[in-house]
Structure formats: structure tokens, C-alpha cells
Amino acid sequence: MGITGAQWTQLASADRLRRSSQAVSVVGPNIYVFGGELAPRKPVDNLFDILDVKQPALKTVEASSGTAPCPRVGSPSATIGQKIYLFSGRGGLEMHPVEEDGALWEYNTTENSWQLIKPTDPQAPFPVGRSYHAITSDGNRTIYVHAGCPETGRLSDMWAFDVQEKSWRELASAPEPARGGTSIAHVGGKIYRVGGFDGKTEQGGALDILDVGQNKWSSVNYIADNAQGPEPRSVAALLALESKYLISLFGERDPSSLGHAGAGKMLGDVWAWDIEGATWQKIEPSIAGDAPAARGWFDADVSLNEGEAPTIQCTIPVPKAPCEWCKHRNVPCTFTREKKRKSAISGEDAHALLRRISHLEEQLTQRSLPDQHHATQPSPEPIDASSCPASTGVREPPAGLAAPTAPEQAQILDLPSTAAISPNPSFFSSSTSWNSFNADEKYNGVNWYFRGIPIVSETGQRWISSRTGQHGALPKLFLLTLKSDVVLSDTSRPSSEICQRSIGSFPDVLLTHVALDLFLKSRSRFIFNVVDPVLFMDTIRMAHTLECNESSMEARISSQACVWALLAVTARSNAIRDDPAVEEGQTSARKAEAALALVAESPSLDSLQAHLMLQMFRISRGYWEKASMLHSLLCRMVCDLGGHLPPPIMAMSAEDLPADRARRHIRALFWVCYALDKDIALRSGKPPLLVGDYCDMTLPQRDDETNSGQHTASIHSLRLSIFKEQVYRFLYAPGAFGIPDSQHLLRLRHLDDELENWRLSIPPDMRPTLAHPPEPAAITADASPPKILQRINLQLEYRYILTLIHATVRRCGAALVERAEMPEDLHSVAHSTGRSTIIILKEPIHRLGEESFWHIAFYAPIAAMSLFVNILIHPLGEGADSDLEHLTTAVGVIRSIPLGNLSADEIDYVQAMCDFMMELIRLGNCAIWKAKKDGRSRCT
């Protein structure tokens, strides 16, 4: 007859339950949830969350025994009696498979205690550590472990562990291909397997069956067309129900082309396999209604409550839903039905974030932050790069699944039953899509919204006009985005001819040494440390060699390009600018680009250094569009040279030292590229190219110098760059534009907490503070230039990333009616940090002189835009006049840049920034007067 009358019912909703890749087991009336991840590749903890099915109240418990498994993900669980068993998973600093030499963890639910069960014979074979494997039990004394992902590749083995004898026995391997994310269930002495991912495709169309007694596999084929049988999938669930049925639910199909950065096709269907009839049946709710949103990377179990129909328990991130459980059982309900409204912000989420922002605002109003108090407290765990290991061949859950999306909800599928869960519709309309931006609008405009409307869109332009009474004003807001910068590439001539021709026009060796000395002494080196002084001596020798044969031609061209790039970034210095052999920086940059075009297919350390110095040159002059276009070449080049791979081991002999130093310098340049990659992504809205999932993220061991003697970027800045990748993934990736408002606010709260953890991990004397005195805090006279610059950078970077996070609050509210109120104070952090950024920018000018140009060019426009948008939205607010004053201050800051050593091109850029700020002031003033005039008209 089959299954009829199935029903979905929500059991509970709590932040603690929000996770993926967790373990779920049911013992008696309790659901036990362990492990999993909230942020990608960062296990939540090793506590148990327990939910009583009969009286739904969640509690979190710590084992009384004092010992417990390390936090882990991708480690499902199985039960025998009152005990829960776990095997391996992924965890530790490197997020590798947990190797415990064949031991299992046993949790006694009655005693609330863990015990590590080791094999009696340590010499006997045992299964290797793995993750995203499948586990089940016979309910008596045997645990079965199958397939999964070890350190590399995938497995198809099957192992049985006798919990009484404490011994492993290897059974016959399952039919190929090897896979991870498969599902198994034990019924009547047989183990059934379905689905999985073999590294290329999802598996389906066959139900594999192991007869344990005969130790022999067989298969039943079916048509996986989503009509006669479930379509192929992985990371789903397979549950045995009353020894009659196998229930398959949810899973993932067709992984995203973005890899870990995006979700694939998630499935939301439920199927029942009739064991006796050998047929599939698709389970539909008896009453038409909504079901939990499609998903994968979760776990589930069956609850057999006496006198009630069997139920399937699963804990997975889903939208909020009405509570039917208490209604059916006639018990007091602790959850209320949420009023349906499109993309509305839930009160709970808004108030929670408002409390967080109120705390930030209180700190911003203080004249100083008591860092000394924080210094006496245990610092939270900083953002750890080790949580982003190099790819190991294991397909991990997409970031969207591990990211905070909504309060976790425990769902229950009653068989039979009815369903009623309301979906979360997307508020984002195609008319305001980020894809509609023009190229010349992206570099100062992708972060600014009003109620979901991008400020740089046509709709946004009409909105600005309506607020200011000025028409056609929008194009002037983005003067800083693009400038022509033509590459003078002479690829029509043979490279050997160009090589010979360049000898006469190439700067002499003395001038090159002067330029190198200037760069090494400049404070800019501590921002873009792209030159190793020892290795660059070889570059100079190669660039000035008189020999130019075919074998050395590419090396010489690369080295000459490197020298031209060095001259471009040092051209403003008095020590060389008056030398008749020195050309203007733009001319030197074009010659470097022309030379690099000839060796584009032969990456080398010299060409990588040249490209990085040219990126310094482009960005400092506002060529963001060109920097973004050529950045892809830079990222590919550093990977071709192995910079994304684990750091090299120490040289074993004197002969190895030069090559070892070069490898270490390439690794240091990888971090420069990685940090630059995140800034370009956040500034332009384009995806980052160097993603932590595919690169080794082991940070340098020392914060000051490597063993080769070269300076490295601040470890704190590198950790912040890793955090910026999370910011882009959660807030600026295409998938982040289609989520409901409540989910967006939760992501902001999560990022706020992560950023605060990063801040508190920094020593008090360097730690950025939210509040800033009218005059910047002085640094001790004996502080080194690197420390001074790092402190300034950390202060500016902290405010910059806070602004980018909280500016996205204004995406919310798109579904509200025109005059409906929304919590505008959620955005207050963004414009408050904008004000303090402008004040802090005086410090680089005071200490760095003309070298402060880069700081102001990068940070000032973002800070100014946050204030400008706030004026447009609150023209009569208490802070509007103050924001205008801060914009005026920004103009003064820009005009105070010493112009003596700046190039004509840089001076033009300074003027463009001033014009940009003046335009913001003019339009802001128009918005204030228009609001006052309109208010007076209404009064009269």
C-alpha cells in the first residue's frame, strides 16, 4: 500500500542548532546533536545539544567525565542502546581527518560521559581516519563504517567494529566508484547504500546491498529520473523505518562551479524504498503545504515513540516555521507563528543586532577605549588561517551552508502527518541586480544602498535626484574610478631586437642602486614589501648584462621590466627625480608593461615583482579598473611559481640557500597578492581569485622577519585579509544578494563577532580602537617605522572593514512599504567609522608626508561615501551637519598632502579627490536644504 499521510512539524528553533556537517542521534525521547560547523572549516565545539522530543526544550551539556572528542565536522553517529558512537571526522588546526588509530568515541547518555574505545589488538588492521563517511549499527553490538574521504582521494571499504570484543573486521568493499557523502542503513542483517560523490559526479540509479552474513554485495538498479526513483545525490540521509522502508531525504546534486564558494543544487524531496516490493515511492505531505527548504550536508535519525507513529528527526538550517508540534500534543507552546511578510526583518534578529550596534556606538562616543582592561582578560581565539587549509581532495560543504543563515530549526517528519512551513521569499529583484552596474561605477559604488536599491543604479540615481533636487549628479560621484592608462606594448618587433635596442636607453647601474636603496628605506615598503634586497642584486646584474643570447633573453627582459617598475614607484624621490636619465613614473611604468608583455608566458620571480610594483603604481594613482583586469594575471603567476603551496622547508646546504631564499620570497609575495586580491574584490564586487579553499593558508611563523631577513606583512593584517574573504563570501558574493533580510542581519552579527575576536587578539599597544580622540594618540618616540605604520594601517583597516560590513545593512527593507519604518540605526556604525577614519587620516600625513598619498587615496573615498549616504537618508538628522563638517575636513586632509615630490599625474589625482569631496559636500548641502524647505512647505 505504501506510505500515506506524511507531515512536517517544527520542533525547535535556536541559534545553537545552526550548523551543517553535524551528527544527530536519537536515544529514547532525546535528540542529541554533536559537532558540525557554523563558519566554514571551523568546528563549533565538542558539547552535546540535547532536545527532548516530548517537551521541546534545548539544553547544552558538557561531558561530566572531563574527556571528550576534539571538535570535528563530517563525523556522523550511530547508536546501540543508550550509547552513541563516533568515528574520526575532520578537525584539528589543519582540519585534516582525525586519526585515532582505529579508536571510536562512545558517549553514555545515562552517565553523560565520553570514553575512547581502542581496539584490543593495536597491531590488527583498522580503518584509516576519514570524514564524510557513513556509519550505522545493527542495534546489538556492531558498528559499521563505510567509505568517506581520507587525507586524499575517496574510499569504498566497509568495516565492522564489535563493541564488546573491541575489534575491527574488514568486510567486502562496495561496488565502485569510491565515494564520500554516501548514505547507509542496516535492516535485517543487510546494509543498504545509496548515493555519494566520486569527485566528479553524484551517484544514483543503484541501491547497493551488503549481505553481512555472506559478506557479499548485490545491486538493484532503478531509473533515477525523479519520477520512478530519486535523482542522484550525495550528503543526504538514509533511514530504516520499521524494517519495511528505507527513507531517503534531501541532499545535494550538481556541485557549484564556484567550488566551496557556492552551493550546488540542493534537493528537498523525500523518497521511501519498499524493501519487500523493491520500488521507490515519492512521499508527499497529505495536506498541500510547504516543507523545509532544500538542503544537504546534514544528519537525521528516527524516533520510535511508544504509541505514536515513527518520526524522522533532523537538525538543519531552515527558514522559520510555525510550530505544530505543541499544538498536536496539547502542551504549552514556546514558539509563536511568525507573521508572513516578504523579506521582513524579524524583531528578534533586529533587536539582537541593535544591541550589538548600541554597544559599538557607546564605544565610539568614548574618548578612549580601556585596552588595558582587555589586556588582562583571556583573548578570544583569533581568526585562524589554519581553518582554511589547502584543498585535500575532500569536497567540503559550500560556504553558504556553513555560513550563518537563520536560527537553526529542528524539523520532524511524522509518518503519517500533515505539513505547514512558510518559505522565505527573496526580496532581491532583477531591477536592482549587481550585474546592472556599469564598469565605471563599481570602484566606489558597489557598497552603497538604500532599502535594497543600489545607489549606482538608474533607480538609485533617481533617488539621489529626489533627495537633492539636482539632476544628472550621479556620474560626478565616481570620478575616482577609472583613468586611461594605455599600455605601450611593442610586441610587433622580435624580442631579441627589443632586447638589443633597450641597452642604450636603459638607466645606468648606479641609478638603479639608488632607486633600490630609496625603496628599501621608504615606508611604502612596509605596505607593499615586494623586493628582497639580496635577490634584487641578481636582478640588477641580469638587467645590465651586455650579453643577450636566446637562452638568457627572457631572463634579461624580465629583470629589466623589474628595474623599470622600481623606477616607476620611486620616481617622485628628490634623490633621483632630477637625474636626466630618470623618466616620469608613468613612462617607466609603460616601459615595464611593454617588456612584461614579451615574457607573459614565462613567469619568473622578476616578472612577479615587476607586476606587483606596477600594481602599487596603478592603485596609488586610481587605476582601479586596470589594476583589477591585470590582477588575474598576477594571481595566476604567483600560483604558477608555487606561492600558494605550503612554505618550503629550510635549506639543507649552502648550495640550496639562494633557491630557498627565492622560494620563501615567492611565498611572501603570495601573501601580498592575497591581501591585494581581497581589497580589489571588496572594492569592485568581482570575485576573489585567490581563495583559501585552494591555497595553503599557513601564516608566517614570525611577525617581523623571515629567516631570509626580509620584512613580512603584519600577521594581524594577514589574518584580517583572511577575514575579508569571509566578508566577501557572506555579504558581496552573488548568492548574498538573494537572502532574506533576517538572514542578512544574522550574517552581520556573525561577522561583527569574528572581527571583534580579531581585534582582541592584537596586543594592546597596537590594537585598533573604535573611539578616537580629537588628536590621534601619540606613539612612543622610540617606536620603529614599521610599528608606526602597522599601527596606522590597523586603525584604518579596522574602520574600513567595519564600514563595508555595516554599509550593507541598507540592502534590507526593500519589501517594506514606502513610509514603513525600519531600524536605520543599524547603519550607524558605518558612518561613525567614516567620521573617525577622516580624523585618523591626518596621522599618515603628519608622519609620512607625501608617502601618505596611498592611504588617503584608498580610505578617504569610502569614508566620505558613508557620510554622504547618511546625509541623503537623514538630511534633518542630528548628525547631518556634523557629517558635512567631516566631509569638509576630508577636503582639508587631501589638500594638506605635500605636493613637492608628487608627479603631475598624482597631483591630478589629488585634485580629482578634492573635486569628488566637494561634489559630495554640495549635494549633501542640497539634500539638507531641500528637506528643510519641504518641511517648511508642509507646515505652511
Side-chain angles (χ1 to χ4, degrees), residues 87 233 277 281 458 479 488 494 519 599 767 896 908 929 939:
F87 175 76
R233 66 193 64 202
Q281 173 196 353
E458 293 183 5
L479 287 173
L488 300 180
F519 181 80
V599 292
R767 183 180 299 159
S896 64
D908 289 343
W929 280 105
C939 292

Side-chain angles (χ1 to χ4, degrees), residues 789-801:
L789 194 58
Q790 285 180 18
R791 183 184 184 277
I792 294 172
N793 285 341
L794 291 175
Q795 292 281 355
L796 292 171
E797 280 285 278
Y798 180 55
R799 284 158 175 76
Y800 169 68
I801 199 65

Side-chain angles (χ1 to χ4, degrees), residues 537 549 566 718 741 931:
M537 298 305 294
N549 52 45
L566 177 69
L718 296 183
D741 292 354

Side-chain angles (χ1 to χ4, degrees), residues 196-256:
F197 182 74
D198 67 357
K200 297 180 180 179
T201 59
E202 313 287 349
Q203 297 299 304
L207 183 69
D208 302 312
I209 307 169
L210 172 65
D211 188 314
V212 178
Q214 298 182 11
N215 193 22
K216 184 177 180 180
W217 285 90
S218 61
S219 298
V220 177
N221 296 324
Y222 60 88
I223 300 176
D225 59 355
N226 202 34
Q228 302 178 64
E231 59 184 304
R233 66 193 64 202
S234 66
V235 289
L238 185 68
L239 304 168
L241 193 64
E242 293 185 326
S243 300
K244 297 179 181 179
Y245 300 101
L246 299 174
I247 305 298
S248 174
L249 64 160
F250 306 152
E252 182 186 47
R253 171 73 190 276
D254 298 333
S256 168

Side-chain angles (χ1 to χ4, degrees), residues 406-424:
E408 178 75 7
Q409 300 169 343
Q411 296 287 333
I412 182 170
L413 176 60
D414 282 307
L415 302 172
S417 193
T418 56
I421 294 182
S422 108
N424 271 335

